[in-house]
Amino acid sequence: MTAKTPFSLALKTAVVTGAASGIGLAVSEVLARAGAHVYLLDLRLADAERAARTIRDAGYAATGLACNVCEAARVEAVFDQIVGERGRVDILVNNAGVAAIGDVLEATDEDMDRVYAVNVKGVFYCAKAAVRCMLADGLGGSIINLASIASVIGLKNRFAYSMSKGAALTMTLSLATDYVRRGIRCNCVCPGRVHTPFVDGYLARSFPNDPEGKAAKFKELSEYQPIGRMGQPEEIAHLILYLASDESAFVTGAAYAIDGGVTARM
């Protein structure tokens, strides 16, 4: 008897949004290595295809597509294209997101609209398209949403962002409840601070000519986590691999903290 490879995604089709860099790229690489054909969605085709090419060059299956998750018609068209090429969608990872800094007095209409459009409506449009595809042949699938520790605790000066990540958590629970008997599982991961190009860009902009200040801020950002460092994108990606795989078949409606101990001390 041939033993099944743990966490295998062989013959499965995965869609990852915001996939050209950071957590999205790490997720795409990990899912591809597990055997999935991964569709990397990002705003710019050049960015999505460049990221997909790095995966193909490593010997795995990946396709880059341009998709603004804020545009319902474009999302539907992309999912239709994927189903036309691959037959179905097995896995959706809603990773695309934007941030905003400020408390309720500092938050602007523009902040709220921008964050809501990407972090809430983007999840809605992609989940809706994925559920439609997953129900079409009755085989179900797995949806994983990128929530945040901001979904479950109060973060200072993150009013608009916290609004959106609270919605990501509750949309997860709603999807899990509505489709639990129809083969679709939905879970979310709640990362703490992760060391991505976004963090590096923030530090470069904030301390352009101050290497000591930059180093001190990096240390502060790292030590916010009780474990003493920021997370790595690959660590988030491997938790998502578990939730995408059949090994998590009994898991739905769950929110996984992956935060170096932040929420444990609250």
Side-chain angles (χ1 to χ4, degrees):
M1 183 173 67
T2 302
K4 177 180 177 295
T5 302
F7 310 110
S8 172
L9 302 180
L11 305 179
K12 294 195 175 185
T13 301
V15 179
V16 181
T17 68
S21 64
I23 293 173
L25 178 55
V27 169
S28 300
E29 291 170 340
V30 166
L31 298 188
R33 288 199 299 267
H37 186 124
V38 181
Y39 283 80
L40 291 81
L41 276 50
D42 215 285
L43 274 173
R44 287 166 30 94
L45 177 60
D47 294 337
E49 183 53 26
R50 182 171 59 250
R53 191 179 306 114
T54 66
I55 295 174
R56 291 197 301 272
D57 288 347
Y60 304 103
T63 302
L65 295 175
C67 184
N68 183 344
V69 298
C70 303
E71 299 176 359
R74 178 58 184 160
V75 170
E76 289 289 334
V78 164
F79 275 78
D80 286 343
Q81 177 182 342
I82 294 168
V83 171
E85 294 175 0
R86 295 286 301 168
R88 73 180 324 271
V89 171
D90 299 282
I91 300 154
L92 166 65
V93 181
N94 273 314
N95 169 74
V98 295
I101 297 174
D103 62 22
V104 68
L105 296 178
E106 297 164 327
T108 65
D109 286 350
E110 291 76 15
D111 289 334
M112 296 296 285
D113 290 344
R114 178 177 59 89
V115 172
Y116 183 81
V118 179
N119 296 8
V120 181
K121 293 188 79 173
V123 172
F124 160 55
Y125 291 145
C126 292
K128 187 172 186 176
V131 167
R132 174 176 58 81
C133 297
M134 292 172 180
L135 291 177
D137 57 12
L139 296 178
S142 177
I143 298 172
I144 302 106
N145 295 325
L146 265 292
S148 166
I149 57 172
S151 303
V152 294
I153 64 171
L155 294 185
K156 187 176 178 62
N157 293 324
R158 295 294 188 277
F159 180 79
Y161 180 76
S162 296
M163 169 275 296
S164 71
K165 291 305 181 178
L169 170 59
T170 51
M171 284 190 287
T172 297
L173 301 178
S174 182
L175 286 163
T177 300
D178 288 341
Y179 296 101
V180 67
R181 295 299 184 110
R182 303 190 69 181
I184 298 174
R185 299 184 297 109
C186 186
N187 297 285
C188 65
V189 297
C190 299
R193 185 171 286 114
V194 180
H195 187 190
T196 64
F198 177 85
V199 172
D200 290 335
Y202 162 74
L203 292 171
R205 290 189 303 272
S206 301
F207 303 93
N209 301 302
D210 183 5
E212 291 184 0
K214 181 178 177 181
K217 188 63 175 179
F218 185 88
K219 185 172 185 288
E220 176 190 328
L221 295 175
S222 298
E223 291 181 350
Y224 176 76
Q225 289 72 226
I227 207 167
R229 64 174 176 85
M230 288 182 262
Q232 294 298 316
E234 293 77 12
E235 293 173 314
I236 313 302
H238 282 100
L239 175 55
I240 289 172
L241 171 61
Y242 166 69
L243 293 171
S245 72
D246 292 341
E247 277 66 27
S248 64
F250 196 55
V251 181
T252 193
Y256 281 79
I258 179 165
D259 62 8
V262 174
T263 51
R265 70 185 180 189
M266 295 297 174

